[in-house]
Amino acid sequence: MNTIIQTADGSNTIFNDSIGENYHSKHGALQESKHVFIEAGLALAMKKLEDISILEVGFGTGLNFLLSMASAEAAEKKLNFTSLEAYPLPIELIKKTEYDQYFSNEIWNAFLKAYPLALTDKQQLSQNCSLSIFAGKLQDYNTIDKYDLIYYDAFSVQHQPEMWTDELIDKACNFLKPGGIFVTYAITGNLKRALKRNGLTIEKLAGAPGKREMLRGIKV
C-alpha cells in the first residue's frame, strides 16, 4: 500500500510500502527535487542549450518532470523529457500529492491529461515540452538516443541496491552526449569511481536539506 506523507517543507511525498522508502526526502520533497535536479542539473543545461533532452531514471510521482516543465516554459526552452518507471503510480494517487498548488493550471492539467498516454506514446504537452515514459526497468531500456542531462533518481542503495551497480551506472552514462550532465542526490565511493570510469568529471555539491552532499558529473 502506498501512503501520502507530508514532508518538512510542507510538500507531500508517497511512501512506497513494497520498497520501504519515500519517493522523496522527508526533509522536503519539493526543495529536494528543486535543489538536486533543477538547480544542479537543468539550470546548468539551460545556460548552454536551447533544446534540452532529459533521461530520468525513476519517474515516481512526476515531481521532477513538473518542475522541469515549469522551468523550461519560464525560460522559453524546448524540453524533450524521457523517464523510466518500472512501477508507474496510478494517476489518482499522483493527484493526492496535491502538487497542483505549485504549478499553473495549464501545466498541471496538461500533465494529468498526458501522463496515462505517455506510458505508451510520446506526448506533446505544450509547444516546447514533450513527455515519454518507458514503463519498465533501466535494465531493459535500449535506445540509440543520447541525452543532454540524466536525472538519476532511483530509490537509495540501501533499499534498491540493484539500481546502483557498476553495470547500470555504466549503462546510464552511455546514454549521455559529450558535455552531458549526470545529477543524483546520492554520493558514494562506488558511484564516484563508476562515473570517472565512464569519462565524467565529478563535482561534490552541497546536498538538499538533510543530506550533506550530492553528486554531479559532466561527460568529457
Side-chain angles (χ1 to χ4, degrees):
M1 181 178 178
N2 294 308
T3 307
I4 299 293
I5 303 290
Q6 187 176 72
T7 66
D9 67 356
S11 61
N12 293 325
T13 188
I14 296 172
F15 179 78
N16 186 305
D17 187 59
S18 62
I19 296 290
E21 187 174 28
N22 291 333
Y23 279 90
H24 308 96
S25 170
K26 67 180 182 180
H27 299 283
L30 187 68
Q31 63 185 5
E32 178 193 41
S33 286
K34 283 183 175 178
H35 180 90
V36 175
F37 300 106
I38 306 305
E39 294 168 9
L42 182 57
L44 180 60
M46 289 197 301
K47 287 180 179 178
K48 302 183 290 183
L49 302 168
E50 295 299 317
D51 193 337
I52 300 158
S53 58
I54 296 178
L55 176 65
E56 177 184 48
V57 178
F59 187 80
T61 65
L63 182 56
N64 295 339
F65 167 73
L66 286 161
L67 288 167
S68 299
M69 181 177 177
S71 298
E73 294 284 88
E76 297 183 341
K77 303 281 187 175
K78 289 193 178 297
L79 182 68
N80 185 5
F81 198 103
T82 301
S83 191
L84 314 182
E85 180 52 64
Y87 306 103
L89 292 171
I91 193 167
E92 293 305 319
L93 184 58
I94 289 178
K95 288 179 182 178
K96 290 180 181 178
T97 61
E98 300 180 349
Y99 292 154
D100 57 311
Q101 65 189 296
Y102 306 117
F103 303 100
S104 69
N105 288 335
E106 289 80 7
I107 288 175
W108 181 248
N109 290 333
F111 168 65
L112 292 184
K113 181 179 178 181
Y115 174 66
L117 302 172
L119 291 164
T120 52
D121 290 297
K122 181 178 178 179
Q123 298 297 306
Q124 197 71 34
L125 283 77
S126 70
Q127 184 177 351
N128 289 330
C129 185
S130 68
L131 172 64
S132 178
I133 305 171
F134 175 74
K137 299 179 179 180
L138 174 58
Q139 291 92 323
D140 301 319
Y141 182 68
N142 292 293
T143 181
I144 60 171
D145 294 336
K146 301 291 183 181
Y147 299 89
D148 300 303
L149 177 58
I150 289 178
Y151 294 169
Y152 207 87
D153 199 19
F155 287 109
S156 69
V157 67
Q158 290 85 1
H159 291 93
Q160 207 174 32
E162 68 275 13
M163 294 302 299
W164 300 91
T165 63
D166 285 352
E167 180 184 6
L168 278 196
I169 299 301
D170 290 351
K171 182 170 187 176
C173 289
N174 189 53
F175 293 132
L176 272 178
K177 296 177 183 177
I181 303 162
F182 179 109
V183 282
T184 184
Y185 65 88
I187 183 164
T188 67
N190 285 342
L191 179 58
K192 287 187 286 185
R193 286 188 290 273
L195 294 181
K196 287 180 179 178
R197 187 178 64 250
N198 281 280
L200 278 72
T201 57
I202 61 170
E203 301 173 82
K204 292 189 290 185
L205 305 176
K211 194 165 181 64
R212 190 164 61 89
E213 293 177 322
M214 61 162 285
L215 199 60
R216 178 170 67 195
I218 299 178
K219 193 166 189 176
V220 178

